[in-house]
Amino acid sequence: MTSIISLIGPPGSGKGTYSTLLASRLFNASFISVGDVLREQSATNEQLSTIMKTGELVDDGIVNEAVIHSLNSRSDKNAILLDGYPRNKAQTQLLQTWPPELRTSFSFALQIHVPGALCTQKILGRRKCTKCNKSFNVNGIDAGPYQMPPLLPEEGSCDVECNPDIDWEKREDDTEEIIKKRFDVYTNETKPVLRYWRDEKKLIRFVPYKGIADFDKLLKLVQQRLSRS
């Protein structure tokens, strides 16, 4: 049976990065970012595009259907890393309407804990190369126990000639105004989800003090928990 792992954390905490790495290291695993799924749909849906650009949450019913469709398309996987669902109390209630085989597939929720101020720095430093399609971060973190160097391309790691000044771009919603709105949404809507998973005894917490340098610790934690599922 497929094991679903729900990723929880504030914007900029690295959920997407850690999920992608986990999906590449766990056996027959896949990664679904609800944000990416909705952004793809917004390319042909003007109303959805407007909502996402303002930083507001998309209607729970729309998100729910998109998640179920994405999960069903990956039913052959041993594990699915799900970033962005359930994101609020209403979505946890919608889980009760899911097909039984999907509802019982949730193994646990993984909380990535990073302070909000550091997340903002990381968000403002995010870049994506339009040439090689890889993601980078030009901002490093040096704050007490949190030591996260910038995420830059390693020499010789890219097959194409990428010019950061020309080819790297920011997401249009990575602005301080939108970031603040997204954090307000997270505080008001998402944190109660932590209580839901805690009550279900399916919540584990990870603090990436050194960013992706701590990935092996995270991988071990997830593997140990999956072995008990």
Side-chain angles (χ1 to χ4, degrees):
M1 184 177 71
T2 302
S3 294
I4 302 174
I5 304 168
S6 176
L7 275 291
I8 304 174
S13 58
K15 299 188 304 298
T17 298
Y18 298 123
S19 296
T20 301
L21 289 170
L22 284 168
S24 69
R25 295 286 296 276
L26 295 172
F27 176 69
N28 192 29
S30 182
F31 167 54
I32 297 176
S33 166
V34 176
D36 287 346
V37 170
L38 294 175
R39 274 187 284 276
E40 289 175 8
Q41 293 186 2
S42 71
T44 55
N45 186 321
E46 186 175 346
Q47 182 180 12
L48 179 58
S49 176
T50 300
I51 292 172
M52 296 189 67
K53 286 178 181 177
T54 63
E56 302 295 333
L57 285 182
V58 179
D59 178 80
D60 293 321
I62 295 175
V63 178
N64 190 59
E65 290 301 317
V67 171
I68 290 176
H69 176 75
S70 295
L71 290 173
N72 282 331
S73 69
R74 295 167 172 81
S75 59
D76 61 327
K77 298 296 182 181
N78 286 357
I80 297 177
L81 288 303
L82 180 59
D83 172 16
Y85 198 91
R87 182 167 280 178
N88 57 40
K89 185 176 181 180
Q91 290 178 2
T92 64
Q93 294 170 340
L94 282 171
L95 291 179
Q96 308 310 313
T97 69
W98 281 24
E101 65 274 14
L102 278 181
R103 189 169 65 250
T104 58
S105 292
F106 272 102
S107 295
F108 59 91
L110 173 63
Q111 179 192 7
I112 305 295
H113 178 75
V114 180
L118 304 188
C119 289
T120 298
Q121 285 184 248
K122 296 299 288 183
I123 291 174
L124 293 174
R126 292 195 300 202
R127 301 291 185 274
K128 188 163 187 176
C129 182
T130 58
K131 210 167 185 179
C132 69
N133 207 38
K134 293 181 179 179
S135 296
F136 304 102
N137 199 300
V138 298
N139 286 348
I141 300 297
D142 182 1
Y146 292 92
Q147 299 292 322
M148 306 177 188
L151 183 58
L152 304 173
E154 297 180 6
E155 186 175 353
S157 65
C158 198
D159 296 330
V160 295
E161 293 285 338
C162 301
N163 186 332
D165 295 327
I166 299 174
D167 303 317
W168 288 14
E169 63 179 19
K170 293 177 64 175
R171 265 175 37 185
E172 61 182 37
D173 57 344
D174 279 355
T175 66
E176 291 195 29
E177 181 181 1
I178 298 300
I179 292 169
K180 183 181 183 305
K181 285 186 178 181
R182 288 161 63 193
F183 270 102
D184 288 342
V185 167
Y186 175 76
T187 299
N188 296 327
E189 298 285 347
T190 307
K191 284 190 175 180
V193 176
L194 296 174
R195 290 195 292 271
Y196 169 82
W197 290 117
R198 194 176 294 116
D199 290 343
E200 293 286 316
K201 295 181 172 53
K202 290 185 176 182
L203 180 67
I204 60 176
R205 187 171 185 260
F206 180 73
V207 183
Y209 290 109
K210 296 183 180 180
I212 59 174
D214 280 343
F215 172 71
D216 284 344
K217 295 179 181 178
L218 175 60
L219 177 62
K220 184 177 180 180
L221 178 67
V222 170
Q223 288 174 326
Q224 289 176 338
R225 184 58 184 257
L226 283 174
S227 68
R228 302 199 300 268
S229 299

